[in-house]
Amino acid sequence: AVVFGTTILGSNPSAPAKSMKILEILKKIFFPFYKSEDIKQIFKILNEGSDQQKAMFVGGCVRKHLLSQKVDDIDIATTLKPEDIIKKFENSEINVKKTGIEHGTLTLVLNNKNYEITTLRKDISTDGRHAVVSFSDSWEEDSKRRDFTINAIYLNYKGQIFDPQLGVKDLKNKKIKFIGNSDERIKEDYLRILRFLRFSIEYSDYNFDKETIRSIQKNLNGILKLSKERIYNELKKILKLKNFDEIHKNKNFLEIFSLVFPEFKYIDRLKNFSSVRKFMPEILNFNNILSSLLIDGSNNHEYFSHKYNIANETRDHLAFCGKNFKEIQSNKNFFKTDLSKNIFIFGKDRIKSLFLLNSITKKNFKLKDFEENFLKIDQISVPMFPITGEYLLERGIKSGKKMGQAISEIKNKWIENNFNLDDKQLAKTIKKFK
């Protein structure tokens, strides 16, 4: 559903999962994001000394506002040049960070919240990676250099829309369209190919003209010119979409995605994700989706980690899943008689990740079996290891290397004995390390 003013367009009351929450709609109508005290303060300073409109919201915050979604990141476009912006805020409580001043972008910080503000621009030249731009005071000119019509909708601080590229109509109809000529837009920045995929999946738009797909296919090699960091950042946004598994609905999308990311050899596994998402959406987090696409018992995930220089947390997650993949495939008891032991050793979250990976690799995946076994993992309670260093000190084992060895040996026997300790065996082990 899309809300414009107080009219709800395209809502479907018979589909509660897809219908908007009434609270969010009312919040948008009566308490829109642009009426917050912080934003009022920012715009008051920006417009000070002029009767002309110096700034408007643009991009994701406008889209989300019109769709009555939660507005988080706020982008502001302005006719003011960076040096003028800095001067306007120099005697205020608002801090100005020069995050991308060479491109006309600054970050305003107020009450620990960031507001990105960028001077209107027009492209002079571009090589598909970097654009040479000049500043502009024309909103129409600025809109022409943006990628999609839905990203060229401007909203002023009074809630009035300026829509030079007719993006509101496309947003209402969930249509992703390049502004002007798709071939020219892509050549300006090849990352727009991945952005097109992301927005198309997010808004479930799989019906687009042949010219657009031809432009994408023709320029696909241009992605090789982009930095790995930009590609990976866009990939994270794609994989975090709540409906990412819908990529299967379009063979062209699958083909493009596979060509850009050849390491993702197992996109077919995503076919089971829609049913898993209905049961346990939180298990389909970024790390688990990534491991599902990469892990196969080879060094495929290691190559991907190195290629994109991924964060240590994700790298460690992939390494863990990769190391244990063969074990969960070959050991029938891993999620049965060995389950409690493995939960104690690895922790529930990691066992859930391995269980997801093991389940979706099966050709005969059944949601009912998945639910039953997943709940079993959730319900298992593993006791705490009862032996402490203090306990062993009191019995004559000195702290240090021997203490560590004793605890390790006792713990292993405790786990093997189904979390029970044999008194005689314990006494024998303690005597051994005295």
Side-chain angles (χ1 to χ4, degrees):
V2 183
V3 179
F4 299 99
T6 57
T7 305
I8 304 173
L9 302 175
S11 59
N12 182 5
S14 65
K18 295 182 180 179
S19 65
M20 290 182 174
K21 294 179 181 178
I22 298 299
L23 183 61
E24 286 300 321
I25 296 174
L26 293 175
K27 186 178 177 182
K28 174 201 175 284
I29 296 170
F30 298 108
F31 306 102
F33 77 98
Y34 55 81
K35 286 192 176 181
S36 77
E37 291 304 316
D38 286 355
I39 287 177
K40 285 181 181 178
Q41 185 178 349
I42 289 171
F43 273 76
K44 181 180 178 181
I45 294 172
L46 287 171
N47 291 321
E48 205 167 36
S50 175
D51 56 357
Q52 293 184 343
Q53 193 158 241
K54 293 294 182 181
M56 287 196 281
F57 304 101
V58 71
C61 62
V62 179
R63 291 198 316 272
K64 290 178 180 180
H65 168 69
L66 292 176
L67 293 171
S68 287
Q69 297 171 350
K70 183 180 179 181
V71 174
D72 34 39
D73 294 336
I74 294 177
D75 292 328
I76 301 169
T78 180
T79 56
L80 296 168
K81 293 181 180 179
E83 58 267 27
D84 297 325
I85 298 171
I86 293 169
K87 189 173 182 180
K88 274 183 173 288
F89 289 101
E90 62 185 1
N91 294 318
S92 73
E93 62 178 313
I94 299 168
N95 185 29
V96 181
K97 292 184 178 180
K98 301 175 183 178
T99 44
I101 193 168
E102 67 276 10
H103 303 297
T105 299
L106 301 168
T107 301
L108 308 178
V109 185
L110 177 60
N111 293 327
N112 297 316
K113 188 167 183 180
N114 295 336
Y115 302 86
E116 194 169 272
I117 182 166
T118 303
T119 305
L120 302 189
R121 297 174 290 181
K122 59 181 178 181
D123 289 331
I124 302 300
S125 64
T126 180
D127 61 0
R129 293 180 63 188
H130 308 291
V132 177
V133 299
S134 66
F135 297 139
S136 170
D137 59 2
S138 168
W139 296 96
E140 288 87 351
E141 198 71 42
D142 183 75
S143 74
K144 290 176 184 176
R145 62 171 297 278
R146 296 182 180 272
D147 48 11
F148 311 115
T149 58
I150 63 169
N151 283 335
I153 308 169
Y154 302 85
L155 177 79
N156 70 13
Y157 71 99
K158 294 180 179 179
Q160 297 167 326
I161 290 290
F162 176 60
D163 185 22
Q165 303 298 330
L166 304 181
V168 170
K169 180 182 177 183
D170 291 333
L171 184 65
K172 172 191 167 184
N173 295 319
K174 304 292 181 70
K175 296 299 296 179
I176 311 304
K177 292 181 183 178
F178 281 101
I179 293 171
N181 184 282
S182 57
D183 190 61
E184 290 177 7
R185 292 290 81 76
I186 291 170
K187 280 184 166 66
E188 288 168 356
D189 184 356
Y190 293 110
L191 191 69
R192 286 172 174 173
I193 292 174
L194 293 180
R195 284 173 60 79
F196 180 81
L197 255 66
R198 171 160 64 93
F199 285 116
S200 295
I201 295 169
E202 181 178 356
Y203 292 111
S204 299
D205 178 19
Y206 301 107
N207 300 308
F208 37 81
D209 58 87
K210 292 180 180 179
E211 181 187 343
T212 298
I213 204 67
R214 275 198 299 265
S215 296
I216 290 174
Q217 291 168 338
K218 184 172 69 172
N219 290 290
L220 204 53
N221 284 338
I223 290 179
L224 298 174
K225 297 181 180 181
L226 301 173
S227 70
K228 294 295 186 288
E229 182 183 16
R230 291 189 74 206
I231 296 172
Y232 184 64
N233 284 339
E234 191 60 35
L235 172 66
K236 285 193 286 187
K237 294 176 184 178
I238 293 173
L239 296 190
K240 287 178 181 179
L241 292 174
K242 293 180 180 178
N243 62 333
F244 167 62
D245 40 284
E246 288 185 5
I247 194 172
H248 275 287
K249 290 186 176 181
N250 188 284
K251 64 178 183 178
N252 289 314
F253 280 15
L254 276 176
E255 181 184 347
I256 294 164
F257 197 71
S258 298
L259 288 171
V260 176
F261 302 104
E263 300 84 12
F264 293 162
K265 302 176 183 178
Y266 306 102
I267 296 181
D268 280 350
R269 293 175 181 173
L270 299 182
K271 290 178 180 178
N272 298 320
F273 272 31
S274 56
S275 53
V276 171
R277 199 180 296 278
K278 291 174 185 175
F279 165 68
M280 185 63 65
E282 56 267 33
I283 193 66
L284 297 181
N285 55 48
F286 174 72
N287 286 346
N288 283 339
I289 291 177
L290 202 57
S291 60
S292 300
L293 293 170
L294 291 167
I295 302 296
D296 63 357
S298 71
N299 65 347
N300 186 45
H301 63 283
E302 294 175 1
Y303 174 77
F304 180 87
S305 299
H306 176 74
K307 180 178 179 180
Y308 290 103
N309 191 28
I310 66 177
N312 288 336
E313 180 195 356
T314 301
R315 188 186 296 267
D316 291 345
H317 182 86
L318 292 177
F320 169 78
C321 291
K323 181 180 179 181
N324 290 282
F325 182 75
K326 289 181 180 179
E327 173 70 10
I328 63 175
Q329 293 281 297
S330 60
N331 183 359
K332 293 181 180 179
N333 291 320
F334 192 94
F335 297 107
K336 294 180 180 177
T337 55
D338 294 343
L339 183 57
S340 294
K341 177 181 74 174
N342 289 325
I343 288 175
F344 177 81
I345 295 170
F346 301 118
K348 273 190 182 181
D349 286 343
R350 286 201 154 180
I351 290 299
K352 287 178 180 179
S353 295
L354 288 176
F355 180 68
L356 172 68
L357 181 60
N358 183 60
S359 300
I360 63 169
T361 57
K362 293 180 178 179
K363 293 182 179 178
N364 60 339
F365 173 87
K366 294 179 181 177
L367 182 61
K368 185 180 178 182
D369 293 341
F370 179 85
E371 289 179 6
E372 288 177 0
N373 286 288
F374 194 91
L375 290 173
K376 185 179 177 182
I377 294 171
D378 232 9
Q379 292 164 359
I380 286 180
S381 178
V382 178
M384 289 183 64
F385 181 54
I387 303 301
T388 64
E390 185 179 352
Y391 176 90
L392 295 179
L393 277 171
E394 291 172 355
R395 281 150 184 80
I397 298 179
K398 294 180 180 180
S399 60
K401 186 177 180 181
K402 281 192 173 183
M403 175 74 75
Q405 291 173 337
I407 289 177
S408 180
E409 186 169 317
I410 295 169
K411 185 181 286 184
N412 288 336
K413 289 177 180 177
W414 175 71
I415 294 170
E416 288 171 8
N417 199 34
N418 196 27
F419 309 113
N420 286 303
L421 281 172
D422 180 272
D423 290 340
K424 289 182 179 179
Q425 186 65 51
L426 176 60
K428 185 178 178 181
T429 305
I430 290 173
K431 185 177 179 180
K432 173 183 173 182
F433 286 98
K434 275 187 179 181

